Amino acid sequence: MINRRFFLIVSSVILAHIVASKNLANNSLKTTKKNKEKIIIIGAGIAGLTAGKTLQNKGFEVILLEARNRIGGRLWTSKKWDDAFVDMGASWIHGKEGNPITQLANSINAQVFPTKSEKAIIYDINGKFITEEKEEKLDTLNNKLQEIISKIQNKYDEDISLQKALEKELKWQTLSDVNKQYFEYLLNSNIEQEYAADISQLSAFYFDETKEFDGDDLLFVKGYNLISDYLATGLNIKLDHTVESIASNSQGVNVITNKGNFQADRVIVTLPLGVLQKNIVKFSPPLPEKKLEAINQLGMGVLNKLYLLFPKRFWQNNYDWIEKISEKKGQWSEWVNLESALRKPILLGFNAGKFGREIESWSDEEIVADAMKNLRQIYGNSIPQPIDYQLTRWNQDPFTFGSYSYYATNSTPNHRQELAKPINKKIFFAGEATSIDYPATVHGAYFSGLRVSQEIITLTN
């Protein structure tokens, strides 16, 4: 399911990380005497806001430069529907147990709603509820996939794409059409929707190299921006400031934006990987070769959303997830029932990777019509048209060029580590793509904000 990692990894390493992060977060709340250093933070997403809050509470002078006309970055709560706020970016606290975002949510009494992967209903390619026999077959094939993936990661001497490895191990050409459809559904729902990339792009070695928190996944009933708004309180944030260049020398840093120059002792860069890959922001001196290699080797995925608001519910309300084995891999195969959480008849559909990118070139009307065609296969032609819709095109977003990072073929955790390294104690990097333990998550971005803050605090003590 999209709301769980393909493999669950819980270890003492995670617990140690959590304890350290809790201590750092608690310490950051204790305001100390004013530090004369000035820090510029580029980006007011979760990483930038966390770093800003931590450093300001430690006495640093902090200014955040945000290109958008809002804070939050890839946390983006739409309030278009007054009585139902929906998240266009991140939606879930992934794993509530020990998750720092859970702690933040509790501290501001944010209302959350659990969604469970086991509360799912699956329909076949013809839109019919799958029989118990077919469900058992899916379980068998899923177990086979997990076994093969475990073997793949210990079998090959050199990294290849997950698709090439699986095609070899499954003897793809010999499979029946039905088995191919089942495997494609499992690969899309368990992996491609999770990592926002096709298996043809994912590293067979490292695609699932991540750690997880245990417990339910939680939706914010009033939107994820409750967290970013809380972190932003009291910070000096300049919106609509697009950074064009960053220059550094022994004296400090100079940041040029579309609205003027800003000087400081150090700068924290939280630009999404997709923006770094486009080389839009110029660095002087240029970024080191190893840093550039890391930027270009890692992948930036796409996961797009479509919210449909209906006049009434026509689906069963005792399921959180509505899934379909689609004719074209990944085409409207994952839906979330939001009526229980938002008290409105709303369905949320996902499209990831290749198909997620493809539909960005379609008109809104074409996207909605294609989604409705899929839903009518399941629920019949008499279901009502949506009253309204909201959708995303993250790959076209000029401030992200994608949704979140993934391990592309031939990328490794060392690339994330390299991306996170500071340059000459002047330029620092944060964001989910720099997280080795929790990439592609809000809590990974949060931890990166704490990490980079501690790097600067240590240098200036």
Side-chain angles (χ1 to χ4, degrees):
M1 299 292 297
I2 191 172
N3 58 326
R4 304 302 297 157
R5 293 291 179 194
F6 197 57
F7 297 110
L8 184 64
I9 306 173
V10 179
S11 68
S12 59
V13 175
I14 299 180
L15 295 176
H17 191 145
I18 295 168
V19 171
S21 298
K22 279 184 180 179
N23 291 338
L24 181 55
N26 290 335
N27 290 338
S28 73
L29 297 177
K30 301 174 183 177
T31 305
T32 60
K33 65 181 181 180
K34 185 175 177 62
N35 187 307
K36 292 183 179 179
E37 281 215 344
K38 181 177 181 180
I39 310 295
I40 291 174
I41 300 175
I42 298 174
I46 190 74
L49 293 172
T50 303
K53 194 72 149 184
T54 305
L55 290 171
Q56 183 164 289
N57 286 340
K58 284 294 183 180
F60 290 81
E61 182 184 351
V62 176
I63 181 172
L64 288 88
L65 303 176
E66 170 57 52
R68 300 182 189 274
N69 61 1
R70 60 173 178 83
I71 65 166
R74 284 169 279 174
L75 295 190
W76 172 23
T77 302
S78 168
K79 298 182 180 180
K80 177 184 178 183
W81 300 330
D82 291 339
D83 49 357
F85 297 168
V86 295
D87 282 309
M88 311 302 282
S91 288
W92 281 273
I93 298 175
H94 286 292
K96 68 177 184 179
E97 302 297 336
N99 194 313
I101 309 302
T102 307
Q103 296 162 23
L104 286 173
N106 290 339
S107 71
I108 59 175
N109 297 314
Q111 187 181 355
V112 293
F113 187 90
T115 59
K116 301 178 183 292
S117 57
E118 60 268 22
K119 292 178 66 176
I121 186 169
I122 306 173
Y123 294 91
D124 66 18
I125 198 166
N126 298 312
K128 305 298 182 183
F129 174 62
I130 66 167
T131 62
E132 186 175 338
E133 180 183 355
K134 289 180 178 179
E135 190 168 2
E136 288 176 356
K137 182 174 182 178
L138 271 176
D139 287 341
T140 300
L141 294 178
N142 190 44
N143 290 335
K144 183 176 182 180
L145 267 182
Q146 293 191 36
E147 291 174 7
I148 288 175
I149 288 173
S150 296
K151 290 178 182 177
I152 284 171
Q153 295 175 333
N154 295 305
K155 180 174 181 179
Y156 293 90
D157 294 329
E158 295 182 358
D159 195 13
I160 59 175
S161 74
L162 184 58
Q163 178 173 313
K164 287 183 179 179
L166 286 172
E167 286 179 347
K168 288 181 181 179
E169 300 300 319
L170 289 170
K171 298 180 174 58
W172 189 260
Q173 297 305 321
T174 68
L175 297 177
S176 67
D177 288 343
V178 171
N179 278 355
K180 285 180 180 178
Q181 288 172 358
Y182 281 19
F183 274 127
E184 285 185 339
Y185 159 73
L186 290 168
L187 290 167
N188 179 261
S189 63
N190 286 336
I191 298 178
E192 293 180 333
Q193 298 256 356
E194 175 68 22
Y195 299 103
D198 280 39
I199 57 172
S200 61
Q201 300 168 308
L202 290 167
S203 161
F205 279 9
Y206 296 108
F207 80 93
D208 61 346
E209 187 75 10
T210 184
K211 297 172 183 175
E212 262 211 354
F213 292 110
D214 206 354
D216 290 337
D217 292 336
L218 305 176
L219 283 169
F220 283 89
V221 175
K222 295 298 182 181
Y224 226 131
N225 275 143
L226 288 173
I227 297 297
S228 51
D229 289 346
Y230 169 69
L231 291 172
T233 304
L235 292 177
N236 180 10
I237 304 172
K238 295 190 178 297
L239 302 177
D240 298 307
H241 279 61
T242 304
V243 172
E244 298 170 352
S245 66
I246 302 168
S248 65
N249 55 39
S250 59
Q251 303 303 309
V253 295
N254 183 54
V255 177
I256 298 177
T257 76
N258 62 323
K259 293 191 175 181
N261 293 12
F262 296 83
Q263 294 183 333
D265 296 286
R266 307 176 203 276
V267 63
I268 298 174
V269 178
T270 73
L271 295 170
L273 178 66
V275 174
L276 291 173
Q277 288 175 336
K278 295 287 186 180
N279 194 30
I280 294 169
V281 177
K282 305 302 179 184
F283 289 83
S284 178
L287 294 177
E289 286 299 318
K290 286 188 176 181
K291 181 82 70 176
L292 290 172
E293 179 187 338
I295 290 169
N296 293 319
Q297 283 294 120
L298 291 165
M300 188 64 171
V302 173
L303 181 67
N304 275 316
K305 295 181 170 185
L306 171 66
Y307 289 94
L308 295 175
L309 172 62
F310 292 95
K312 63 180 181 178
R313 174 174 57 82
F314 51 81
W315 58 91
Q316 302 101 312
N317 201 34
N318 54 330
Y319 296 102
D320 290 338
W321 292 87
I322 301 167
E323 308 197 12
K324 184 177 182 295
I325 300 171
S326 52
E327 292 181 30
K328 182 175 182 179
K329 178 165 66 80
Q331 186 167 354
W332 307 111
S333 60
E334 297 271 340
W335 293 89
V336 182
N337 167 26
L338 292 176
E339 185 173 66
S340 295
L342 302 183
R343 305 300 180 188
K344 283 293 199 181
I346 297 172
L347 289 177
L348 164 59
F350 293 94
N351 287 296
K354 183 179 178 181
F355 185 68
R357 282 185 168 87
E358 179 184 326
I359 63 172
E360 290 199 18
S361 64
W362 300 3
S363 68
D364 288 8
E365 292 74 19
E366 287 172 325
I367 293 172
V368 172
D370 196 59
M372 289 303 298
K373 177 183 176 182
N374 172 276
L375 290 173
R376 288 193 170 104
Q377 278 188 310
I378 300 173
Y379 298 107
N381 292 327
S382 63
I383 64 173
Q385 277 290 110
I387 299 171
D388 202 359
Y389 67 88
Q390 297 186 59
L391 55 78
T392 63
R393 290 183 173 86
W394 281 107
N395 194 53
Q396 294 180 22
D397 189 312
F399 304 121
T400 59
F401 294 105
S403 301
Y404 47 83
S405 65
Y406 66 89
Y407 281 109
T409 308
N410 294 317
S411 65
T412 73
N414 288 338
H415 288 121
R416 293 196 188 278
Q417 189 172 33
E418 193 64 44
L419 183 59
K421 285 182 179 178
I423 300 174
N424 298 327
K425 301 180 181 179
K426 295 295 180 184
I427 304 178
F428 296 78
F429 293 83
E432 57 83 11
T434 70
S435 175
I436 295 176
D437 291 335
Y438 306 102
T441 65
V442 177
H443 53 269
Y446 176 83
F447 279 137
S448 78
L450 294 179
R451 168 190 54 76
V452 77
S453 301
Q454 188 57 48
E455 288 172 353
I456 291 174
I457 290 168
T458 300
L459 275 174
T460 56
N461 279 347

